[in-house]
Amino acid sequence: MLKKRLSTPRAATVIVLAAVVALSVTVAPSIAASFLTPQQASQKFVTKQKASKTYLTKSGASNYLTKKAAANTYVAKKGAALPPVVSIAASNTLFSINSSTAGYVPTAFTAFATKANASTAVITFSGTASCTNPAKAPTVDQACPITILVDGQAAASKVAFAPATGEGTSSKPAAALVHTIVQTTVLGKGGHTIQIQYAGASGLNFQLKSWNLAVQAYPQAEEVEAEATPTTPSGSGSAKQ
């Protein structure tokens, strides 16, 4: 009986296939352990359809919120408050005046815009100033006043910014001290201008050596109307004949 010999290429192929089969038998258990059946996968992972109906909390994917629970827990984007608006101005230029009439402090103004229908604004004006009476010793009721103007109108009545002191001497002039006033107001939607005005005082010398003006406007969140829950009219069902 004649024995057929395999050619070299066919023999090599058989050897390679045998090696692959042997390797798959050896490795298959470890590879199979890394895969899940469709039933196991459905219990561990959320499908795209299910994910679109659920909401993840910030803590992670293991916690889910229904649409109603998410609406009660998180603020809708259209109902969230807008970021605050800040505007500032400052100067180191000496401002000196002796007048009983009002006058603007040069460059002491700032302009900005608010997007909300209503914004709560905090206006702060601070400066190093002196208020002296060169003619006589000042009385306790004397002071150099400041007025804050919002869009050209006084936010409040004039405020005693710096109390009057003695004139001092040429060698020891009156000390300039830091004074601060804070006022609040409510702004509407649109552009706004804040200005500082010296309100005027008879017989007093007012000197403002440096100042800072800061405005912080906090837009108020708009009220969001709750979505109406659809109701089924009573008696809409069809009766069986």
Side-chain angles (χ1 to χ4, degrees), residues 27-52:
V27 181
S30 61
I31 294 178
S34 61
F35 291 95
L36 298 175
T37 65
Q39 183 178 5
Q40 291 174 328
S42 64
Q43 296 174 354
K44 292 180 178 293
F45 300 96
V46 180
T47 64
K48 185 176 181 181
Q49 182 179 3
K50 290 182 180 179
S52 64

Side-chain angles (χ1 to χ4, degrees), residues 99-103 144-147 158-159 197-201:
S99 176
S100 59
T101 59
C144 292
I146 288 290
T147 301
K158 61 183 181 180
V159 179
Q197 189 180 63
Y198 176 64

Side-chain angles (χ1 to χ4, degrees), residues 5 15 31 38 43 48-49 65 97 143 186 193 203 206 221 223 233:
R5 299 180 61 184
I15 294 173
I31 294 178
Q43 296 174 354
K48 185 176 181 181
Q49 182 179 3
L65 295 176
I97 189 173
V186 177
T193 302
F206 177 66
E223 294 184 0

Side-chain angles (χ1 to χ4, degrees), residues 78-86 112-122 185-190 192 215-223:
K78 60 181 179 180
L82 295 170
V85 177
V86 178
F112 57 94
T114 55
K115 296 182 179 180
N117 291 330
S119 299
T120 303
V122 180
T185 187
V186 177
L187 303 175
K189 184 177 182 180
H192 303 283
V215 182
Q216 297 170 304
Y218 300 92
Q220 299 177 8
E222 304 294 335
E223 294 184 0

Side-chain angles (χ1 to χ4, degrees), residues 30-235:
S30 61
I31 294 178
S34 61
F35 291 95
L36 298 175
T37 65
Q39 183 178 5
Q40 291 174 328
S42 64
Q43 296 174 354
K44 292 180 178 293
F45 300 96
V46 180
T47 64
K48 185 176 181 181
Q49 182 179 3
K50 290 182 180 179
S52 64
K53 297 181 180 179
T54 57
Y55 298 83
L56 300 181
T57 61
K58 190 175 181 181
S59 59
S62 59
N63 299 321
Y64 297 90
L65 295 176
T66 63
K67 186 175 181 180
K68 182 177 180 181
N72 294 332
T73 305
Y74 299 99
V75 179
K77 184 178 180 181
K78 60 181 179 180
L82 295 170
V85 177
V86 178
S87 186
I88 61 174
S91 176
N92 292 320
T93 303
L94 175 65
F95 171 70
S96 181
I97 189 173
N98 184 333
S99 176
S100 59
T101 59
Y104 290 103
V105 178
T107 70
F109 70 92
T110 184
F112 57 94
T114 55
K115 296 182 179 180
N117 291 330
S119 299
T120 303
V122 180
I123 305 170
T124 305
F125 181 73
S126 178
T128 304
S130 63
C131 179
T132 60
N133 189 331
K136 57 182 179 179
T139 58
V140 293
D141 61 334
Q142 288 183 314
C144 292
I146 288 290
T147 301
I148 296 178
L149 302 179
V150 178
D151 299 332
Q153 302 296 323
S157 58
K158 61 183 181 180
V159 179
F161 185 68
T165 62
E167 183 71 8
T169 63
S170 57
S171 60
K172 292 184 179 181
L177 303 177
V178 177
H179 305 277
T180 303
I181 57 175
V182 178
Q183 287 187 351
T184 59
T185 187
V186 177
L187 303 175
K189 184 177 182 180
H192 303 283
T193 302
I194 309 299
Q195 296 170 292
I196 303 301
Q197 189 180 63
Y198 176 64
S202 179
L204 297 179
N205 290 333
F206 177 66
Q207 284 193 341
L208 186 62
K209 295 186 176 181
S210 63
W211 54 264
N212 291 276
L213 173 62
V215 182
Q216 297 170 304
Y218 300 92
Q220 299 177 8
E222 304 294 335
E223 294 184 0
V224 180
E225 296 182 359
E227 295 182 359
T229 304
T231 57
T232 303
S234 59

